[in-house]
Amino acid sequence: MQSDTGPSTGGSRLAAVPQGLGGWSPPEIPSIPQLSNAGSSSPILLDSPIFVSNNTTPNPEIHVTDQGTEKTPVENEGIQVNAMEKNVTEGEQDKGDDEFHIPKRSKTSQVWDDFEEIEENGTFYATCVHCRKKLSRGKSKQTSSMLRHRISCSTRKVHLRMVAQQTKLNFQPADEIFSTLPALHTGKFDMEAMREAAAHWVLMHEHPFTILEEEGFNIIMRRGMPEWQKISRGTAKNDCVTVYEVEKKKLKNKLKHVQKVSITTDLWKSKNQKIEYMVITGHWIDSNWKLQKRILNFVHIPPPRRGVEIAAAIFKCVKEWEIDHKIHTISVDNVSNNDVAIRLLKDDFSRSKKLLCGGKLFHVRCCAHILNLVVQDGLSKMVDITNNIRESVEFVNRSEGRALLFAEIAQQLRIPGKKLLYDCRTRWNATFEMLNCAIKFRDVFRRFQDRDPLYDFCPSPDDWDKVEKVCSILEKFWTATHIMFGTDYPTSNLFLQEVAKIKKVLDAQVNNEDDFIRAMVTKMKSKFDKYWTVIC
């Protein structure tokens, strides 16, 4: 059986009908109804008819016009087949590839976590991935038998037990603070480990023990960990004490391998409890030549905090940590009761060990405290001026209306800068920052006095000139202080250079032409030479 296809245009799809099928021949089609494109009023030209015959006679042409369809007869006597086909565009030709198919329903049953479906000769089976047992699904494809086998499969139970015992890989973060989990850990929930972590959290951020009893906190924990159990404040306190004892034991073992330990002390008063404490901190260099610092103890010393009581508290602390024979130096504030305490401690420690350089380096005075004493002596020459500026700052910031008026005047004078700063009377650097900030608003204070009749302690122009000169000198001290104490571990290579710079400033200003500056610097230099007479 042969078939010939006629020419096609426009990417038409061709169809051939075999001739002489059981003596049947298709009837003649006298006319073809008019076809039109969807969404278009123009007719479709059917210019690709097909004839199948035994010879190669050209195919007849069928022309579609507005009046109908005309057929050109064929002279051949053979069997005639009329064929009609749409003129399919490229977009319509690809439409068959995007036919709409009803998607198969996804398998949502949990049994498919342990089974896989196979088909053999039109019959569907489900094979267990653990024991490889094959179950017939039947015509309805139900999962009942699979569920029963899933529960009773012994191989699956062994597999689940091994997965539960398997450790998980924990990728450590770059920040050392959060790298507390081991690289391999189990996925099981451990309430004891959570209690220990909660104790570390409370100690690290100084939270109250009651924070673990808060309802919102427990809601958050149960949302992520349903096994979470509420921790009472008493339990939290006991856990924190346990953590302290564990860390204390670790630190004591570490100090056994240290040759020399230096101690610093500081006395301060708790604002909440109104109780005075002394904190004792140990400093040493480890085997990797890194400077280490640990707080050894907080000691409650009731007033009047005599030198005997301070010495007894320090000696008891170092005895408890078993480092009484390793004490190298002790750094304390420069007050008389500390002098008495150091003298007693030097006598006690010299009985059991030989002190470095015969004890000449045993007593180290706090550099920051000495600088504070030096500057406070200088500021004592301008107490009245400092008090006027301090009261001016407090007067302006006492009410919102005054602050807005002050800001409005500063805006009119086009004076940039921040708000007025308060100071701490016991810290000279805070006083310097207050004075240095107030100088920028000297003209604003004068105009503010004209608008507010209650403001009657504005510094005079001469006072502002003195403050400006004093701040130019104190700026050297302020820079040195920030360099020395910009790190948690200030060492001799940092503060000795800055102390030498301060000495040069005092030596240069001691013969200043201004009587006020010369008197102030002379008093500061006298205090400086008392502690640092020889500076390279």
Side-chain angles (χ1 to χ4, degrees):
M1 180 175 57
Q2 297 178 350
S3 63
D4 295 333
T5 57
S8 61
T9 61
S12 301
R13 184 177 290 114
L14 305 180
V17 180
Q19 69 169 2
L21 184 60
W24 177 86
S25 62
E28 285 189 359
I29 303 176
S31 64
I32 300 176
Q34 179 178 346
L35 301 177
S36 62
N37 284 324
S40 176
S41 59
S42 59
I44 299 178
L45 299 178
L46 302 181
D47 56 354
S48 301
I50 303 165
F51 261 78
V52 180
S53 62
N54 292 330
N55 53 31
T56 58
T57 305
N59 297 331
E61 293 184 353
I62 301 176
H63 299 281
V64 181
T65 62
D66 292 340
Q67 288 76 21
T69 304
E70 297 178 359
K71 184 179 68 174
T72 304
V74 182
E75 297 178 358
N76 196 322
E77 297 293 335
I79 300 176
Q80 177 176 312
V81 178
N82 291 328
M84 177 186 68
E85 184 176 36
K86 275 186 179 181
N87 186 15
V88 184
T89 63
E90 292 183 359
E92 292 173 336
Q93 185 176 5
D94 295 334
K95 188 175 180 181
D97 298 335
D98 297 331
E99 288 187 52
F100 175 77
H101 298 283
I102 300 177
K104 295 182 179 180
R105 188 168 63 90
S106 59
K107 300 174 181 178
T108 59
S109 178
Q110 295 181 354
V111 298
W112 295 112
D113 296 338
D114 303 292
F115 283 87
E116 56 184 13
E117 188 180 33
I118 60 175
E119 181 182 1
E120 294 181 359
N121 300 326
T123 304
F124 290 92
Y125 297 92
T127 304
C128 178
V129 298
H130 304 290
C131 64
R132 308 309 299 177
K133 183 176 181 179
K134 186 166 64 174
L135 303 178
S136 176
R137 299 195 62 197
K139 295 182 179 179
S140 59
K141 297 184 179 181
Q142 295 181 357
T143 59
S144 305
S145 59
M146 301 163 61
L147 286 171
R148 290 191 296 269
H149 176 80
R150 187 170 181 262
I151 297 174
S152 60
C153 183
S154 58
T155 309
R156 178 177 175 272
K157 294 179 181 179
V158 174
H159 172 73
L160 294 178
R161 189 157 50 247
M162 293 177 61
V163 171
Q165 296 175 355
Q166 185 178 4
T167 56
K168 297 181 179 180
L169 180 63
N170 176 44
F171 292 95
Q172 300 292 339
D175 197 339
E176 294 182 358
I177 297 178
F178 302 100
S179 59
T180 56
L181 287 176
L184 293 175
H185 66 94
T186 61
K188 292 184 178 180
F189 177 81
D190 190 350
M191 188 60 200
E192 292 185 3
M194 294 300 298
R195 282 176 51 184
E196 181 182 359
H200 280 280
W201 174 56
V202 170
L203 294 172
M204 184 184 301
H205 300 286
E206 301 179 1
H207 290 308
F209 298 135
T210 55
I211 193 173
L212 298 176
E213 294 182 339
E214 292 181 357
E215 183 179 357
F217 172 78
N218 285 276
I219 290 176
I220 294 174
M221 300 305 290
R222 289 197 186 97
R223 181 64 61 87
M225 297 168 289
E227 302 90 347
W228 170 264
Q229 300 174 9
K230 185 177 180 181
I231 303 175
S232 64
R233 68 185 75 179
T235 303
K237 176 183 176 181
N238 296 333
D239 291 343
C240 289
V241 173
T242 303
V243 169
Y244 168 75
E245 295 295 339
V246 172
E247 296 297 327
K248 182 179 179 180
K249 186 177 180 180
K250 293 180 182 178
L251 181 57
K252 186 176 291 187
N253 293 332
K254 184 179 294 185
L255 289 174
K256 290 180 180 179
H257 306 285
V258 178
Q259 299 296 328
K260 296 182 182 297
V261 179
S262 295
I263 290 178
T264 59
T265 65
D266 192 14
L267 297 171
W268 52 279
K269 185 176 182 179
S270 174
K271 294 182 179 180
N272 298 329
Q273 296 176 321
K274 307 299 181 183
I275 299 177
E276 296 179 350
Y277 290 92
M278 179 177 67
V279 58
I280 303 175
T281 309
H283 307 259
W284 69 92
I285 298 176
D286 61 11
S287 58
N288 296 324
W289 286 93
K290 292 184 178 180
L291 186 60
Q292 301 291 336
K293 178 178 68 174
R294 297 291 188 278
I295 295 177
L296 302 180
N297 203 356
F298 281 94
V299 184
H300 170 50
I301 301 180
R305 297 179 299 181
R306 298 176 300 176
V308 178
E309 298 167 348
I310 295 175
I314 295 176
F315 188 82
K316 181 181 178 181
C317 176
V318 298
K319 195 73 175 178
E320 182 182 0
W321 286 94
E322 301 177 359
I323 57 174
D324 53 300
H325 59 287
K326 299 180 179 181
I327 299 301
H328 186 58
T329 60
I330 298 181
S331 301
V332 293
D333 289 339
N334 187 55
V335 291
S336 58
N337 53 359
N338 281 337
D339 293 340
V340 175
I342 294 299
R343 187 172 64 252
L344 295 174
L345 289 172
K346 183 187 295 186
D347 183 61
D348 293 338
F349 291 138
S350 62
R351 294 177 183 272
S352 59
K353 63 186 292 286
K354 187 177 180 179
L355 299 179
L356 184 65
C357 297
K360 294 181 179 179
L361 301 179
F362 183 77
H363 183 191
V364 180
R365 302 179 187 273
C366 179
C367 178
H369 192 255
I370 294 176
L371 287 178
N372 186 57
L373 293 177
V374 171
V375 177
Q376 292 293 354
D377 281 1
L379 292 176
S380 63
K381 290 293 184 179
M382 50 177 293
V383 176
D384 295 337
I385 300 176
T386 304
N387 288 337
N388 284 340
I389 295 178
R390 183 180 292 116
E391 291 178 2
S392 298
V393 173
E394 292 178 354
F395 182 84
V396 172
N397 291 331
R398 194 170 299 161
S399 68
E400 185 179 358
R402 294 172 184 170
L404 292 175
L405 177 60
F406 191 88
E408 181 182 351
I409 298 173
Q411 187 176 5
Q412 292 175 358
L413 297 178
R414 300 181 182 276
I415 298 178
K418 299 179 181 179
K419 296 181 180 180
L420 297 174
L421 301 177
Y422 289 103
D423 74 322
C424 177
R425 303 194 181 195
T426 59
R427 294 185 176 274
W428 74 267
N429 54 343
T431 304
F432 163 75
E433 292 173 357
M434 180 195 69
L435 297 176
N436 196 39
C437 178
I439 290 175
K440 302 176 183 178
F441 299 96
R442 56 189 301 178
D443 295 334
V444 180
F445 279 108
R446 181 173 52 82
R447 292 200 181 186
F448 183 80
Q449 187 180 22
D450 298 337
R451 297 195 184 187
D452 195 328
L454 298 178
Y455 177 55
D456 57 354
F457 35 84
C458 179
S460 63
D462 185 52
D463 293 340
W464 285 116
D465 292 338
K466 292 180 180 179
V467 171
E468 190 171 3
K469 294 177 181 178
V470 170
C471 286
S472 64
I473 297 175
L474 295 183
E475 187 175 3
K476 307 295 183 181
F477 287 78
W478 187 82
T479 303
T481 302
H482 273 259
I483 293 176
M484 286 188 292
F485 306 109
T487 174
D488 294 335
Y489 305 106
T491 51
S492 300
N493 64 318
L494 292 177
F495 79 87
L496 282 178
Q497 296 181 10
E498 301 305 321
V499 170
K501 293 178 182 178
I502 292 175
K503 185 178 185 300
K504 291 181 181 180
V505 172
L506 295 177
D507 291 340
Q509 297 293 333
V510 74
N511 297 320
N512 194 290
E513 297 178 356
D514 191 306
D515 295 337
F516 174 77
I517 298 298
R518 185 171 61 253
M520 185 191 75
V521 173
T522 301
K523 192 169 184 179
M524 294 172 66
K525 189 175 185 303
S526 175
K527 179 71 72 173
F528 183 92
D529 292 340
K530 180 180 178 181
Y531 300 103
W532 293 313
T533 304
V534 180
I535 295 293
C536 58

